[in-house]
Amino acid sequence: MNYYSLTNKQHRVGFREAVLQSIGPDGGLYFPEKITPLPGSFFTALNKRDNPSIAYTVLAPFIGDTLPENELQQIINETFSFDFPVVPIEKDIYTLELFHGPTLAFKDVGARFMSRCLAYFNRENNRKTTILVATSGDTGGAVANGFLGIKNVDVVVLYPKGKVSPIQEAQLTTLGQNISALEVQGSFDDCQAMVKKAFQDSDLKTKNLTSANSINVARWLPQMCYFFFAYKVLQDTGKPLYVSCPSGNFGNIGAGMLAKKLGLPIAHFIAATNANDTVPRYLDNGIYQPKATICTVSNAMDVSDPSNFIRIQELYARDLNQLKKDFSSYTFSDTETRIAMESVFQKVQYIMDPHGAVGYLGLQKKLAHNPDITGLFLETAHPVKFLGTVQSYLNHGLLIPESLQEMMDKPKQSILIRNYEELKDYLRQ
């Protein structure tokens, strides 16, 4: 399998190079050269297969012969070693809990997969790789945990100062070893812009930079798999399946829509956003115009210029009318988020985190016009990661897992940077 740059389709690389480079030399995200639908027999037999077996069938065509079969199977077994429960919430409404991994966030899947791919690529050499990653909250913790102690890999995480939760910050700043945290005076979009600039900086070529954001195909592709896991559970409802994804950088929903192109029978996707509404506005007026990033209670989605939306556009050949047939996007305020969290807790005693609540709202908006469907929204992080918000809204205590409490008791280690030149100086050291 080869991958081409979305900026220059003539530039093509294999899976290994796409992982190591993250983005093309022209700044374009990599995209698979072929998307071949899976056979119908695969879907009819889903309920007879376990999750690692499903994941192997889904991912193997995108890896090609870059990894030996036994190595890929081992990586998949380690990546998908925790549960992905589908939980009923209300009539015809379910949630897919993606927070049962080591850092309690959906990004554990991509981080674990990528770290193990990179460990394999580095197994017989002393090539030093620097993972440079921007985070709006959960990516940094998942990447730091996934790459902790990996041979010949240093991890540098950029995060916006004061704009992640205390638990999220602890997961970035207390690990030490090969993990460094840079606290950026700015927004997530500023962090992401610095990362992209570094990749194209000729002065840093010798640093072997790569990214573990969802711009990297090894982070992005494995996220397809849990959409298949959810469909396995819900395939017999007899109604079309609509999936609502809380969306920030749009990697997760982009992976789901790639799964649909492989033949997964999901009828419609909903990108539910907070006040950062670039994509909902684009669907309304056809103009893609990011604004200044707005801080919200669903901070991991505080992204005004989502990198992965271009991949969704590529899946539909940049045809907005075709995209709208399979895809909707709605924006919700912090007030609406709070009301949704309170309402669901009062009705069924289920605690949604602020991001899951935005996903729930997106589904409810679609249900108002399409009542005869099965709805699934994603719970992308454990509510305890947003402890202050959840306790304030619901007046309900949450028990912090022992592993997280130990981490929060450790001293914070971070370096404050204000601009790209300070990042560049740090990387040169």
Side-chain angles (χ1 to χ4, degrees), residues 59-294:
L59 290 173
F62 293 93
I63 311 302
D65 58 3
T66 306
L67 295 171
E69 181 178 333
N70 64 329
E71 191 69 33
L72 177 57
Q73 189 65 68
Q74 179 63 28
I75 289 171
I76 285 172
N77 289 344
E78 294 176 7
T79 297
F80 297 98
S81 61
F82 48 88
D83 293 333
F84 299 85
V86 174
V87 179
I89 301 297
E90 301 170 12
K91 184 179 183 298
D92 294 328
I93 296 180
Y94 301 81
T95 187
L96 173 62
E97 292 185 345
L98 299 175
F99 54 71
H100 292 272
T103 71
L104 310 183
F106 79 96
K107 296 177 181 181
D108 282 323
V109 166
R112 286 158 73 89
F113 185 83
M114 182 182 170
S115 68
R116 285 152 177 79
C117 288
L118 204 57
Y120 177 80
F121 296 151
N122 285 342
R123 72 197 183 285
E124 292 177 353
N125 62 49
N126 290 315
R127 182 183 190 271
K128 194 79 168 181
T129 300
T130 299
I131 303 289
L132 185 61
V133 60
T135 185
S136 55
D138 286 327
T139 293
V143 169
N145 181 276
F147 285 88
L148 184 65
I150 295 290
K151 176 188 173 185
N152 291 330
V153 174
D154 287 330
V155 177
V156 179
V157 182
L158 281 69
Y159 73 99
K161 178 178 174 62
K163 296 181 175 67
V164 301
S165 76
I167 288 178
Q168 288 173 322
E169 186 171 40
Q171 289 180 318
L172 307 174
T173 61
T174 61
L175 294 175
Q177 297 187 52
N178 59 327
I179 311 298
S180 301
L182 303 186
E183 201 170 356
V184 175
Q185 195 80 50
S187 68
F188 168 76
D189 289 305
D190 296 322
C191 298
Q192 187 163 253
M194 288 187 193
V195 168
K196 289 181 177 179
K197 189 171 182 179
F199 288 141
Q200 298 178 67
D201 192 329
S202 59
D203 294 340
L204 298 175
K205 291 297 183 187
T206 60
K207 297 299 179 182
N208 295 325
L209 298 179
T210 191
S211 174
N213 281 99
S214 53
I215 59 175
N216 192 299
V217 293
R219 259 287 320 276
W220 181 54
L221 291 170
Q223 296 176 156
M224 287 189 291
C225 298
Y226 42 68
F227 292 93
F228 286 85
F229 305 163
Y231 179 77
K232 178 174 70 170
V233 176
L234 297 175
Q235 62 183 320
D236 294 328
T237 64
K239 297 179 180 181
L241 178 60
Y242 280 49
V243 177
S244 179
C245 302
S247 298
N249 213 19
F250 280 67
N252 210 19
I253 192 168
M257 297 181 75
L258 177 56
K260 180 176 173 64
K261 291 294 184 180
L262 292 177
L264 185 64
I266 293 177
H268 198 84
F269 280 92
I270 303 141
T273 78
N274 56 26
N276 296 283
D277 62 348
T278 301
V279 172
R281 286 187 287 108
Y282 169 73
L283 293 187
D284 284 342
N285 59 27
I287 301 171
Y288 186 85
Q289 188 174 40
K291 298 179 180 178
T293 306
I294 299 169

